[in-house]
């Protein structure tokens, strides 16, 4: 086949030259390749003796004998040293093939082929090296010809795909690769052969004969050229990168898992709300870890039970608190095997449900072990989980207690869950479980704290005779919503009312406990009907005892004092029980209010049409300090006046001094000419109540007193006929008030009290009837001895009066007065539903 391009062949590499000898033994033809290889031009060689031309001097005799034999018609092959210059030593070694020939006249000549031995040795070395590389390479090595047919494959390639290497000669990529991958490689081979641009690390996927796992190869292609530069084929190097790919994938999964755990640590647990924590867990997991997920918590746990029933067998009621999906807005039944018998609809958020006892989900809850639940093919639609092919049911375990279940699911097209995924899911669920358990504990403690706080405060709408009451409490710390501020409205005998407000130094639950102790003490002291200053004095002693001061422990040794001073103020518990307090008693009959102050801010009084005024109440020392008496003042409160008691959290903060806060408070009260509840709201909205530095308590009372026609007041002479006079006065007054149903009972009890005043007391007797929310009867005398109820024997003629008072009245008691004592009883006003006690039956019951 003729061609006009340089023919690349083996002769390009082994450097073959030729020349011929004439009949005279001299050179008559000299090729250009001979001139190039031996370094002798044709002009210098033609016509010369070849031995003289390039054989070294010491070998010329041997050379002449060889030439003689050649001209005699013998073939000859040998190695001949040669040199290019006369004076130089031999610098080459040629292998010469001499073939005898004849001229047309029959004369003997010879044709000589000369090969450079060094080129032959180089080719042998290169071939040996190429064979070693090709045969011993750990990578698959293949050669394709220009028709993209396999010329040769190495043993590594044959080992991977099976069979001897000769099996693949003449084959194509379709013989060892899947169709799609074979077509990709054919296209790449053609492009490399046509353009000469190599392809590196092309990824191919296939299955090795005898194995089921898919393997991945990285293939590099480059074009091969002959010595003349003509393309002669394409070489392919293939390395099995399945392990490396798996390692890369595992490393990527590890990085993803670490990123997920890092994100989970940063986001989960930022809220103490159960539902918020559950939603945050799903926000982290979907779609980075799974396609859809849900969180179920035990219903008993959400209800506050310590040990939710049925938790041990995994079949207890659960509530779905969160659901998230990257594939559907509507919830899916992620695992059909975990759907309760007879139920087909997916569980909605907020729904309460149970898992069947034999279901994998119940098993996960029962064993506290995560379970991988494979999906199942179904023709019944996605509502039974046909779209989900892998689910992880992970119990949420905190402090060895299962609190709920998380389900992570992946849909078809995603990689199914493996061991690493299970470990990550368990870690995510554990972190969320601890946070949810903390939220549960916080919710429980928070509810308990609220119960404590509410139990220590008066009801939302306290009632008092002659007063309209409105109150507000704002905790300084939203974490517990409890604090040391308190207020109280205490009903006293004679329709009087004690208004109390106080502030324990400190914050939180500890201050609330101290406040509760002081509030209980105030209520106990109020029942004794002491004067306000006496109440604060007794309360001061109690506070000193609570705080661990001298009031409780008595005198301390000098060493004890030295030890306490060494601990510092932080260890001084008495400081925690320091408190301020205002105690005020309002009498709706006289419309006078008596105040006593223990280091608290002064009350504010607003009279109609005037600016708010700070009452000049002697401040006194805080409770728990001791050593100083308390003073009290009496202030007349006209009807319509507004009295405000408050704590320092309302008027003091870091943003402004106390004086500015008091001025703003007075201004807000001066503008509060509106219903009392609205006035409270106006004050709180006008002042800075969101600083969160201290608790805020506000107690406001609008004065209206008892009308004159609701009071009956008479003085009686200390004589026997005053008993009948008292019954008559009581009967007439009750008739005027329309309380005929209480006449008989009131007459009987008034008669008993006046009789006791005549028998056991002395001086003038005073009878007073008060009608408000109930009927109060008071009998005053000048004797200081307090009455005492006793049980009379059947043979006693007397001693049953106070027993009778206790049977017929709703409550009764006595109190000291500056000039003696007052014995009183109270009767509920008839409401048309409850029956009035029959005095006759009560009297007979005493015998």
């Amino acid at each position: 086949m003729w061609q006009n391009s340089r023919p690349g062949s083996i002769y390009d590499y082994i450097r073959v030259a030729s020349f011929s000898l004439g009949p005279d033994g001299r050179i008559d033809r000299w090729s250009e390749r001979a001139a190039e290889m031996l370094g002798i031009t044709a002009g210098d060689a033609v016509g010369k003796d070849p031995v003289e031309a390039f054989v070294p001097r010491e070998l010329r005799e041997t050379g002449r004998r060889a030439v003689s034999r050649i001209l005699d018609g013998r073939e000859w092959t040998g190695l001949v040293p040669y040199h290019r210059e006369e004076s130089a030593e031999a610098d080459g070694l040629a292998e010469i093939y001499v073939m005898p020939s004849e001229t047309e006249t029959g004369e003997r000549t010879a044709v000589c082929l000369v090969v450079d031995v060094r080129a032959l040795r180089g080719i042998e070395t290169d071939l040996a090296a190429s064979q070693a590389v090709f045969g011993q390479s750990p990578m698959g090595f293949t050669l394709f010809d220009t028709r993209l047919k396999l010329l040769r494959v190495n043993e590594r390639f044959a080992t991977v795909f099976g069979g001897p290497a000769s099996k693949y000669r003449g084959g194509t990529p379709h013989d060892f690769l899947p169709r799609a991958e074979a077509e990709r490689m054919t296209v790449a081979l053609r492009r490399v052969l046509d353009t000469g641009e190599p392809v590196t690390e092309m990824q191919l996927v296939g299955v090795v004969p005898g194995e089921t796992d898919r393997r991945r190869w990285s293939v590099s292609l480059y074009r091969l050229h002959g010595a003349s530069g003509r393309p002669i084929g394409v070489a392919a190097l293939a390395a099995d990168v399945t392990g490396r790919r798996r390692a890369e994938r595992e490393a990527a999964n590890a990085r993803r898992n670490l990123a997920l755990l890092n994100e989970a640590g940063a986001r989960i647990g930022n809220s103490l709300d159960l539902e918020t924590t559950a939603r945050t867990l799903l926000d982290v997991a979907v779609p980075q870890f799974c396609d859809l997920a849900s969180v179920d918590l035990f219903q008993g746990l959400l209800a506050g039970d310590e040990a939710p029933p049925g938790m041990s067998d995994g079949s207890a009621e659960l509530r779905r608190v969160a659901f998230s999906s990257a594939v559907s807005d509507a919830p899916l039944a992620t695992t059909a095997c975990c759907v309760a018998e007879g139920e087909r609809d997916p569980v909605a958020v907020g729904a309460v449900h149970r898992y069947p006892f034999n279901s994998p989900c119940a098993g996960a809850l029962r064993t506290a072990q995560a379970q991988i639940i494979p999906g199942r093919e179904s023709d019944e639609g996605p509502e039974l989980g046909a779209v989900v092919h892998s689910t992880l049911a992970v119990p949420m375990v905190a402090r060895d207690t299962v609190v709920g279940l998380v389900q992570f699911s992946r849909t078809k097209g995603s990689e199914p869950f493996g061991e690493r995924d299970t470990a990550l899911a368990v870690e995510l669920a554990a972190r969320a479980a601890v946070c949810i358990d903390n939220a549960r504990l916080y919710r429980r403690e928070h509810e308990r704290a609220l119960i404590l706080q509410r139990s220590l405060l008066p009801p939302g709408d306290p009632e008092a005779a002659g007063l309209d009451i409105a109150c507000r409490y704002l905790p300084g710390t939203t974490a517990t919503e409890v604090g040391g501020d308190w207020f109280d409205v205490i009903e006293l005998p004679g329709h009087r009312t004690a208004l109390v407000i106080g502030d324990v130094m400190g914050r939180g639950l500890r201050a609330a406990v101290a406040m509760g102790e002081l509030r209980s003490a105030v209520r106990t002291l109020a029942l004794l009907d002491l004067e306000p200053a006496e109440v604060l004095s007794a309360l001061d002693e109690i506070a000193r005892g609570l705080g661990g001061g001298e009031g409780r422990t008595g005198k301390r040794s000098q060493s004890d004092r030295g030890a306490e001073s060494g601990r510092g103020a932080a260890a001084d518990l008495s400081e925690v029980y320091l408190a301020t307090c205002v105690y005020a008693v309002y009498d709706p009959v006289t419309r006078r209010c008596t105040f006593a102050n223990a280091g608290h801010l002064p009350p504010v009084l607003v009279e109609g049409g005037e600016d708010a005024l700070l009452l000049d109440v002697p401040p006194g020392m805080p409770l728990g300090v001791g050593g100083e008496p308390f003073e009290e003042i009496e202030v007349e409160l006209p009807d319509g006046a507004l009295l405000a008691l408050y704590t320092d959290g309302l008027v003091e903060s870091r943003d402004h001094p106390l004086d500015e806060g008091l001025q703003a408070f007075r201004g807000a009260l001066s503008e509060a000419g509106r219903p009392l509840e609205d006035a409270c709201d106006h004050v709180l909205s006008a002042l800075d109540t969101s600083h969160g530095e201290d608790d805020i308590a506000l107690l406001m009372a609008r004065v209206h007193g008892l009308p004159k026609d609701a009071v009956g007041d008479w003085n009686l002479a200390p004589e026997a006929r005053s008993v009948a006079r008292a019954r008559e006065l009581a009967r007439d007054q009750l008739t005027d008030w329309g309380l005929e149903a209480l006449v008989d009972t009131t007459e009987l009890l008034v008669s008993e009290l006046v009789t006791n005043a005549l028998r056991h007391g002395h001086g003038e007797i005073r009878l007073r009837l008060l009608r408000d929310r109930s009927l109060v009867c008071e009998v005053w005398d000048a004797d200081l001895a307090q009455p005492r109820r006793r049980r009379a024997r059947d043979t006693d003629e007397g001693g049953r009066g106070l027993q009778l008072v206790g049977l017929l009245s709703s409550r009764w008691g006595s109190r000291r007065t500056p000039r003696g004592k007052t014995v009183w009883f109270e009767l509920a006003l008839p409401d048309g539903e409850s029956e009035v006690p029959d005095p006759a039956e009560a009297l007979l019951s005493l015998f």
Side-chain angles (χ1 to χ4, degrees):
M1 179 177 179
W2 296 91
Q3 59 183 25
N4 56 7
S5 61
R6 295 182 60 188
S9 65
I10 188 65
Y11 299 106
D12 294 329
Y13 297 96
I14 63 176
R15 299 182 66 186
V16 178
S18 64
F19 64 94
S20 62
L21 299 178
D24 56 357
R26 295 182 176 273
I27 299 172
D28 61 353
R29 295 287 187 273
W30 189 259
S31 67
E32 294 181 358
R33 181 69 64 86
E36 178 184 350
M37 184 176 68
L38 301 177
I40 301 173
T41 63
D44 294 333
V46 173
K48 291 187 177 180
D49 184 352
V51 175
E52 297 291 338
F54 54 87
V55 175
R57 188 183 303 276
E58 63 275 10
L59 298 176
R60 287 178 181 175
E61 186 62 31
T62 303
R64 288 191 181 95
R65 290 195 297 270
V67 171
S68 298
R69 288 195 296 270
I70 292 170
L71 293 178
D72 290 338
R74 300 178 183 178
E75 291 186 0
W76 182 84
T77 303
L79 295 177
V80 179
Y82 67 90
H83 61 82
R84 296 187 178 187
E85 296 180 3
E86 183 68 25
S87 60
E89 296 180 355
D91 56 2
L93 184 64
E95 187 173 24
I96 300 179
Y97 301 87
V98 181
M99 295 170 286
S101 62
E102 293 181 354
T103 63
E104 56 187 13
T105 60
E107 293 178 313
R108 292 286 183 178
T109 59
V111 176
C112 304
L113 295 179
V114 182
V115 179
D116 190 343
V117 174
R118 291 179 301 178
L120 289 176
R121 300 294 180 268
I123 291 174
E124 291 176 355
T125 302
D126 292 343
L127 287 175
S130 298
Q131 183 64 26
V133 171
F134 192 86
Q136 301 173 20
S137 172
M139 296 186 296
F141 203 164
T142 63
L143 296 177
F144 292 89
D145 62 15
T146 55
R147 298 174 300 168
L148 305 185
K149 299 286 186 178
L150 282 169
L151 291 174
R152 187 177 180 185
V153 300
N154 67 348
E155 292 299 327
R156 175 60 180 167
F157 182 92
T159 301
V160 169
F161 288 98
S166 58
K167 169 185 174 182
Y168 296 94
R169 292 176 183 173
T172 65
H174 290 272
D175 296 326
F176 57 89
L177 288 176
R179 179 177 178 181
E181 298 294 272
E183 291 178 353
R184 286 183 57 220
M185 188 170 183
T186 301
V187 171
L189 288 169
R190 175 62 60 189
R191 184 171 64 251
V192 171
L193 187 62
D194 293 342
T195 64
E197 296 180 359
V199 171
T200 59
E201 296 186 354
M202 181 176 67
Q203 302 293 312
L204 297 176
V205 179
V207 178
V208 175
E211 297 183 10
T212 58
D213 295 338
R214 292 160 59 88
R215 305 189 69 83
R216 182 180 295 270
W217 296 278
S218 176
V219 178
S220 297
L221 307 175
Y222 58 94
R223 190 169 68 181
L224 298 176
H225 301 85
S228 63
R230 180 175 60 86
I232 60 174
V234 178
L237 288 174
D240 189 341
V241 295
T242 306
R244 186 178 71 187
R245 180 67 175 177
R246 184 182 299 113
E248 291 175 352
R249 186 168 59 249
E250 291 179 355
N253 290 338
R255 288 192 297 270
R256 183 201 64 184
N257 294 350
L258 289 175
L260 275 176
L261 290 176
N262 183 56
E263 184 180 3
R267 297 178 60 183
I268 297 177
N270 292 332
S271 172
L272 288 175
D273 180 75
L274 294 171
E275 289 79 5
T276 301
T277 301
R279 287 194 298 268
T280 304
L281 168 63
L282 300 192
D283 290 341
V284 171
V286 179
Q288 293 90 339
F289 178 68
C290 60
D291 297 317
L292 62 157
S294 63
V295 177
D296 298 321
L297 298 180
F298 279 110
Q299 177 69 3
L301 178 143
L302 294 171
D305 298 342
E306 289 294 332
M311 182 178 291
S312 59
D313 64 3
S315 61
E317 287 188 340
L318 298 107
R319 184 194 303 171
R320 179 145 298 177
V321 296
F323 173 82
S324 181
S325 173
V327 297
S328 173
D329 295 333
L332 296 176
T334 55
T335 51
C337 54
C338 286
V339 177
E341 184 175 355
E343 295 183 3
R344 295 178 59 87
D345 296 331
V347 180
V349 174
V352 177
H353 64 102
R354 296 175 184 267
Y355 288 117
F357 177 79
N358 295 325
S359 67
C361 293
L365 291 171
R366 186 166 52 250
T367 62
Q369 299 293 325
Q371 295 195 21
I372 298 179
I373 309 172
R376 64 183 186 184
E377 297 296 333
S378 173
D379 298 329
E380 301 182 30
E383 65 274 9
L384 290 182
V387 86
V388 175
H389 79 106
S390 183
T391 297
L392 264 175
V394 185
M396 306 179 73
V397 183
R399 300 177 181 90
D400 297 327
T401 301
V402 179
V403 299
L405 182 76
V406 188
Q407 292 186 66
F408 303 102
S409 298
R410 289 178 179 173
T411 57
K412 293 180 178 179
S414 299
E415 185 177 354
F417 290 111
E419 293 183 2
R420 290 182 180 272
D421 296 321
T422 303
L424 174 62
V426 169
E427 179 66 23
L428 289 175
R431 294 193 180 196
V434 171
C435 296
I436 286 177
D437 193 54
N438 289 339
R440 176 183 67 88
L441 295 176
Y442 164 76
R443 177 180 289 184
R444 185 187 67 185
E445 297 303 320
H446 183 253
E447 290 175 353
R448 291 177 179 177
L450 286 180
I451 292 173
L452 171 65
Q453 185 72 51
R454 291 164 183 163
S455 67
L456 297 177
L457 295 175
D461 298 316
E463 296 180 350
L467 295 173
D468 293 330
I469 304 293
C471 50
R472 297 290 187 273
Y473 174 79
L474 300 176
T477 168
T478 58
T480 59
E481 296 193 13
V482 297
D485 288 13
W486 93 93
F487 59 89
D488 209 345
V489 179
I490 307 171
E491 188 175 356
L492 300 178
H495 282 319
R496 293 172 305 137
T497 302
L499 303 175
V500 189
I501 195 161
D503 183 2
V504 176
M505 295 184 183
R507 300 174 64 179
L509 191 59
R510 194 173 187 184
V513 172
M515 174 267 286
E517 294 174 321
L518 294 178
R519 178 179 180 271
S520 299
V522 170
R523 279 193 162 264
T524 303
L525 294 171
L527 293 177
L528 300 177
D529 208 1
L530 303 176
E531 295 297 325
E534 293 176 333
V535 171
L536 292 185
S537 296
L539 196 62
D540 177 59
E541 290 295 328
I542 294 173
R544 293 171 65 195
L546 294 175
E550 293 182 3
R552 184 185 71 176
T553 60
K555 293 184 179 180
R556 294 171 291 178
S557 65
Q558 185 174 358
S559 61
D560 292 338
R561 293 192 185 97
E564 289 185 6
S565 63
R567 297 187 192 104
D572 186 8
L573 295 179
S574 64
E575 184 180 355
V576 177
Y577 288 92
L578 292 178
T580 62
C581 180
V582 169
Y583 187 89
V585 176
Y586 173 69
D587 189 340
V589 178
T590 63
R591 290 168 172 76
R592 301 186 70 83
C593 188
T594 304
F595 295 91
N597 191 354
H600 202 80
L601 293 172
V604 177
L605 179 64
V606 183
E607 298 185 15
E610 298 184 7
D611 294 336
L613 174 68
L614 290 175
L615 293 180
D616 189 13
V617 180
M621 298 297 292
L623 301 176
V625 174
E628 294 293 333
F630 296 97
E631 301 179 37
E632 59 185 39
I633 64 167
E634 192 175 61
V635 179
E636 184 172 351
L637 302 180
D639 288 349
L642 181 65
L643 179 67
L645 304 178
Y646 55 96
T647 56
D648 57 357
L650 182 65
V651 295
E652 186 177 20
S653 73
R654 296 188 185 95
D655 299 332
H656 55 76
L658 177 61
D659 292 341
E660 291 184 9
L662 287 173
Q663 185 64 33
F665 180 45
R666 292 170 58 193
L669 285 175
S670 299
E671 300 171 0
R674 60 192 75 193
L676 197 58
E677 293 291 337
D678 295 341
C680 263
D681 295 335
H682 171 72
V683 169
L684 294 180
S685 62
L687 301 179
D688 178 18
T689 59
S690 60
H691 50 72
E693 300 172 12
D694 198 1
D695 307 325
I696 295 174
L698 175 63
L699 177 62
M700 296 177 63
R702 179 159 281 139
V703 179
H704 53 75
L706 285 180
K708 291 181 179 181
D709 59 1
V711 179
D713 196 351
W714 306 276
N715 292 324
L716 302 174
E719 53 189 20
R721 62 180 182 179
S722 293
V723 176
R725 176 61 178 164
R727 289 198 298 268
E728 180 183 357
L729 292 172
R731 183 189 314 111
D732 293 341
Q733 185 63 69
L734 292 181
T735 301
D736 291 343
W737 287 341
L739 301 177
E740 290 82 359
L742 299 180
V743 169
D744 293 340
T745 303
T746 305
E747 281 191 58
L748 178 59
L749 299 185
V750 166
S751 177
E752 290 294 335
L753 294 187
V754 173
T755 300
N756 285 342
L758 289 173
R759 182 176 299 175
H760 303 289
H762 59 82
E764 189 177 47
I765 299 173
R766 182 182 177 188
L767 173 64
R768 188 166 74 169
L769 294 177
L770 306 174
R771 176 180 60 85
D772 190 66
R773 292 175 292 113
S774 62
L775 176 66
V776 174
C777 176
E778 298 175 324
V779 176
W780 308 51
D781 65 63
D783 188 67
L784 294 177
Q786 298 294 315
R788 180 175 61 87
R789 187 172 65 172
R790 65 182 179 87
R791 184 174 296 278
R793 295 188 296 270
D794 293 343
T795 57
D796 292 343
E797 295 182 358
R800 297 178 178 85
L802 292 182
Q803 291 187 47
L804 188 62
V805 173
L807 284 172
L808 294 176
S809 65
S810 56
R811 61 179 184 146
W812 74 280
S814 67
R815 71 178 187 273
R816 293 182 303 160
T817 64
R819 295 185 178 87
K821 69 176 181 297
T822 299
V823 182
W824 57 273
F825 67 85
E826 184 176 340
L827 297 175
L829 298 181
D831 55 6
E833 298 179 1
S834 58
E835 296 182 0
V836 178
D838 187 356
E841 292 182 0
L843 185 59
L844 291 174
S845 68
L846 298 177
F847 297 93

